[in-house]
Amino acid sequence: MRTLSGPKNACSRHECGTALKETATEGEQYGFNLGRHPLELSTNVAVMFYGFLPECRTAHLDRSLKASLLISLTAVNLALGALVSYLKLPIYLDTVGLLLATITLGFGWGLACAVLTVGVGFFVINPYLPAYVLTGVAICATTELLFRLKMFDTLLRSVISGLAIAIVSATVSAPVTTYLFGGITLSGADAVTAYFLATGKTLLNSALLAGLSSEPVDKVLVAIVVYFTLLRIPLRTAARFGLRLPSRPS
């Protein structure tokens, strides 16, 4: 059976199409009926021989797969965020997909996940959510840094990473909560803010203390979920689709 020469992911669409047709012709000699319609041919050959033709995994296909994963992780953020918002809990849980996107796909994809989450979250979670887009950017940057420092390699390090992300998130969010919304964000954390206001703290300090009280619980939970999720991804799958993973414990 013929295969393409050259570096991985380097073949053009025309070359991949030629290789698929040649594969179909040779396959029929061994009794495989792969079809003659271009769509049928491409689908059948891709399913049967994708693992044996790595050169046909073009950059376009890689981007499509990563885009699909990005959409799925954004949906995870929105589903968890909407549930927590409905229950009025003083946590968020809407950054699970954000951390997973940043770690597995890279910083740029994490940013895209943050923007999609706050954009769609305007309709399904909280109309105030888009104002916290900078918080999402800060979480992405912190997660990328921690990943490069191998801070998601073990459960203990992941917990510490969650605490670090919590501090960053609370610090960046407090001025937005204070100066744009007057301490009211229609979330469960409003009750915590009101408590600190009742003790005589300023609005900014109350918003910051409320964040520092709820964010550690939220982000540690998120970090633990992310850690065990990453452990469940097979190394072969990660290598096949170009996903980044932390080092596995020995």
Side-chain angles (χ1 to χ4, degrees), residues 44-152:
N44 291 340
V45 172
V47 170
M48 294 182 63
F49 297 104
Y50 181 77
F52 302 97
L53 290 176
E55 296 84 356
C56 288
R57 301 173 195 172
T58 61
H60 175 73
L61 178 59
D62 289 341
R63 285 195 299 270
S64 297
L65 292 170
K66 290 182 178 181
S68 298
L69 183 56
L70 170 66
I71 293 172
S72 299
L73 293 175
T74 301
V76 170
N77 285 344
L78 295 172
L80 291 175
L83 177 62
V84 169
S85 178
Y86 175 78
L87 297 175
K88 294 298 180 182
L89 299 176
I91 55 177
Y92 308 99
L93 300 181
D94 57 357
T95 54
V96 172
L98 179 55
L99 266 65
L100 285 172
T102 304
I103 292 172
T104 59
L105 302 177
F107 178 67
W109 293 95
L111 285 180
C113 186
V115 173
L116 284 174
T117 299
V118 298
V120 181
F122 172 83
F123 301 100
V124 299
I125 299 179
N126 191 321
Y128 293 167
L129 204 57
Y132 293 93
V133 64
L134 289 181
T135 301
V137 173
I139 291 174
C140 284
T142 306
T143 302
E144 177 70 13
L145 176 61
L146 291 170
F147 173 75
R148 295 189 179 189
L149 293 176
K150 301 184 181 300
M151 290 299 293
F152 289 95

Side-chain angles (χ1 to χ4, degrees), residues 73 96 100 222-234 245 248:
L73 293 175
V96 172
L100 285 172
V222 167
I224 292 174
V225 171
V226 167
Y227 172 76
F228 284 108
T229 301
L230 293 172
L231 277 183
R232 299 296 298 175
I233 300 177
L245 289 179
R248 297 290 173 88

Side-chain angles (χ1 to χ4, degrees), residues 32 175 193 205 220 222 244:
F32 295 113
T193 304
N205 287 338
V220 168
V222 167
R244 305 189 309 177

